[in-house]
């Protein structure tokens, strides 16, 4: 069960079974607002992976919606019926109605406007959501290089006999994202799997494909390109 720290109270809140409405409250159209939409998107993905029905609600301005589309952030409903548990994803100084408040720290940048959107998505995901994210050129370059390496590796692993995700790895992934949406810990698990001597290539492939249902980084896009 996913547990989120409610920024209003500082206490953990278990997301109960049943319909959940994730309301995104971006302010403006800068990188901080984009980060709010991204956290809402990943939160909804985490709930879906746990079998929870989710409706994401939000009405960002057109300029921000265009940036969100580039990052693969799924569109939200402009409104939704008032049923189910509500989680409000909001910036640190943003306003939101009463309810569980999922707070997102500001992001500065990107300094490199030419950075691929997927690199920007990874750079944002790599920072704990309650800590500021400095999207400087070095950070975006590292994210881009990581994506290139992982996509190439996933394409190579896809040519090997398929193996299931190791149960211990699956539990580590779920424990990470169910613990206050700790996406950096999910990325740490992938780094360990990448170099682990006791994980077969087919299992590496399935692990990365499984985790990408949460991350939305399109890690399988190079399949058929690399051998």
């Amino acid at each position: 069960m996913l547990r989120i720290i409610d920024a209003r109270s500082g206490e953990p809140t278990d997301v109960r079974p049943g319909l959940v409405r994730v309301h995104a409250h971006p302010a403006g159209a800068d990188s901080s607002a984009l980060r709010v939409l991204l956290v809402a998107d990943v939160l909804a993905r985490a709930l879906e992976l746990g079998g929870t029905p989710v409706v994401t609600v939000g009405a960002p301005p057109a300029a921000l919606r265009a940036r969100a589309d580039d990052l693969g952030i799924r569109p939200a409903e402009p409104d939704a019926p008032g049923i189910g548990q509500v989680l409000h994803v909001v910036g640190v100084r943003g306003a939101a109605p009463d309810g569980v408040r999922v707070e997102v720290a500001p992001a500065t940048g990107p300094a490199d406007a030419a950075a691929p959107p997927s690199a920007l998505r990874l750079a944002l995901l790599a920072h704990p959501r309650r800590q500021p994210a400095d999207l400087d050129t070095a950070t975006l370059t590292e994210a881009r290089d990581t994506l290139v390496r992982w996509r190439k590796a996933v394409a190579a692993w896809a040519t090997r006999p398929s193996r299931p995700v190791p149960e211990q790895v699956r539990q580590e992934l779920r424990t990470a994202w169910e613990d206050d949406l700790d996406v950096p810990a999910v990325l740490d698990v992938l780094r360990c799997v990448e170099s682990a001597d006791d994980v077969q290539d087919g299992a590496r492939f399935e692990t990365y494909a499984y985790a990408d249902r949460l991350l939305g980084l399109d890690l399988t896009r190079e399949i058929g390109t690399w051998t």
Side-chain angles (χ1 to χ4, degrees):
M1 178 181 295
L2 194 147
R3 176 169 291 182
I4 286 288
I5 301 297
D6 183 355
R8 295 184 192 274
S9 65
E11 297 295 325
T13 299
D14 291 333
V15 181
R16 302 182 300 272
L19 177 66
V20 174
R21 289 180 289 139
V22 176
H23 284 249
H25 301 275
D30 60 5
S31 294
S32 295
L34 185 65
R35 193 182 193 192
V36 168
L37 293 185
L38 177 59
V39 170
D41 179 62
V42 176
L43 177 56
R45 289 169 181 262
L47 290 166
E48 289 169 350
L49 280 167
T52 299
V54 184
V55 177
T56 306
V57 182
L64 182 59
R65 184 62 255 172
R67 294 188 68 191
D69 290 341
D70 289 341
L71 261 64
I73 296 172
R74 297 175 298 183
E77 299 294 332
D79 197 2
I83 57 174
Q85 188 173 7
V86 180
L87 305 176
H88 295 285
V89 183
V90 63
V92 291
R93 290 180 297 275
D98 291 341
V100 177
R101 180 184 175 103
V102 181
E103 206 160 73
V104 182
T108 56
D112 182 5
S118 55
L120 175 56
R121 183 176 179 113
L122 176 56
L124 286 169
L125 293 177
H127 286 80
R129 63 175 174 81
R130 288 182 289 172
Q131 296 180 11
D134 183 9
L135 304 172
D136 57 19
T137 299
T139 298
L140 293 169
T141 298
E142 180 182 0
R144 182 195 62 202
D145 292 346
T146 297
L147 276 176
V148 169
R149 186 179 78 250
W150 279 357
R151 286 170 174 170
K152 181 177 179 180
V154 167
W157 298 333
T159 66
R160 309 298 296 169
S162 179
R163 296 289 186 272
V165 178
E167 188 56 33
Q168 180 180 347
V169 172
R170 185 186 296 273
Q171 289 301 321
E172 290 174 354
L173 289 169
R174 294 191 67 89
T175 297
W177 74 59
E178 289 180 351
D179 181 15
D180 199 32
L181 201 65
D182 191 351
V183 179
V186 172
L187 296 172
D188 286 342
V189 173
L190 293 186
R191 293 186 186 97
C192 290
V193 169
E194 181 182 15
S195 58
D197 294 332
D198 59 344
V199 179
Q200 295 178 301
D201 285 350
R204 293 187 222 271
F205 168 77
E206 295 295 345
T207 297
Y208 273 63
Y210 175 62
D212 201 37
R213 293 169 60 190
L214 174 85
L215 301 172
L217 294 171
D218 204 8
L219 295 177
T220 61
R221 64 178 287 179
E222 302 296 334
I223 291 177
T225 302
W226 301 94
T227 58

